[in-house]
Amino acid sequence: MEQLKSWETKKKIFALFGILSALLTVGNLFIPIFSGDLSSIVETLKIGNNEVFGLYSNGISLVGFAVACIKIVNSFGKVLGSLSGVYIAIAVFVGIIALFSLINLIAALCKKPVLSMVFSILIFIFAIAEFGFYSITGLLEGTGYSIGAAVYIYIVCFIVSFIVDILMIVANTRIKKLKAQNNINAK
């Protein structure tokens, strides 16, 4: 009976860390992904306040970058031509990462470790693909921007979430076995 209580306590702790990791993943959408001086982009987009939709004086978040891409396409779409498709693709990728982040948070709140693990992996794949795109295409070269804190936070959140999800699965399995051994009705 002591082991059962111990594993139930561990499961609650694992669930708490899973929720915190998922919350940080959602919050990471608003943490600067690029660091650098944004005065040029703020003036280009005619945004008076630097803190609109994740635009900061020292960087730009994923959400801010998606909003900037959409505004660039709306303002300069005819001039950009086929390049406007790249900006739209970036905005769609950010939307997918945001959607997966919200689903991951819901899965963590509902204590569904397998679903949380699947969406953690998907978030990681899409985030790394997006960041890799910027590196491979040289999109940031000569702009004065560099990769910001959000990239590293995604990696840490993925690792924490993945480990916590595995521990939750182990805890669920152990609790079921211990309840079966003690003839207790399993939830």
Side-chain angles (χ1 to χ4, degrees), residues 109-126:
L109 289 170
C110 294
K111 297 177 182 137
K112 302 291 184 187
V114 174
L115 187 62
S116 178
M117 186 182 298
V118 167
F119 281 97
S120 292
I121 291 169
L122 289 172
I123 292 165
F124 182 73
I125 290 170
F126 274 86

Side-chain angles (χ1 to χ4, degrees), residues 2-187:
E2 282 296 316
Q3 279 187 329
L4 182 60
K5 288 181 183 178
S6 172
W7 277 103
E8 286 176 344
T9 303
K10 288 177 186 178
K11 180 181 173 182
K12 289 177 185 176
I13 293 169
F14 300 149
L16 178 65
F17 277 105
I19 292 169
L20 291 175
S21 176
L23 278 171
L24 187 57
T25 302
V26 171
N28 202 30
L29 294 168
F30 303 97
I31 295 173
I33 186 172
F34 302 129
S35 299
D37 181 26
L38 290 178
S39 57
S40 62
I41 194 169
V42 170
E43 284 192 25
T44 301
L45 299 176
K46 297 179 182 165
I47 297 173
N49 182 359
N50 288 356
E51 297 185 11
V52 176
F53 294 109
L55 290 172
Y56 302 98
S57 59
N58 63 343
I60 187 168
S61 68
L62 266 179
V63 171
F65 192 55
V67 169
C69 287
I70 292 169
K71 287 187 177 203
I72 288 170
V73 170
N74 284 338
S75 299
F76 308 110
K78 292 179 183 175
V79 176
L80 293 172
S82 63
L83 188 59
S84 63
V86 173
Y87 288 109
I88 292 170
I90 290 170
V92 168
F93 252 72
V94 172
I96 290 170
I97 292 170
L99 178 66
F100 288 170
S101 297
L102 290 174
I103 293 172
N104 185 38
L105 178 60
I106 292 168
L109 289 170
C110 294
K111 297 177 182 137
K112 302 291 184 187
V114 174
L115 187 62
S116 178
M117 186 182 298
V118 167
F119 281 97
S120 292
I121 291 169
L122 289 172
I123 292 165
F124 182 73
I125 290 170
F126 274 86
I128 294 303
E130 178 137 352
F131 306 140
F133 171 77
Y134 304 137
S135 298
I136 291 170
T137 60
L139 190 65
L140 297 179
E141 287 180 24
T143 62
Y145 300 115
S146 62
I147 296 296
V151 176
Y152 305 106
I153 293 173
Y154 272 116
I155 293 168
V156 169
C157 286
F158 167 71
I159 292 168
V160 169
S161 181
F162 196 78
I163 291 170
V164 166
D165 291 336
I166 289 172
L167 292 173
M168 281 278 291
I169 292 168
V170 169
N172 285 339
T173 304
R174 292 292 296 166
I175 289 169
K176 284 180 184 177
K177 284 182 182 179
L178 289 169
K179 283 184 177 183
Q181 287 174 355
N182 295 327
N183 292 325
I184 299 173
N185 290 336
K187 287 185 182 179

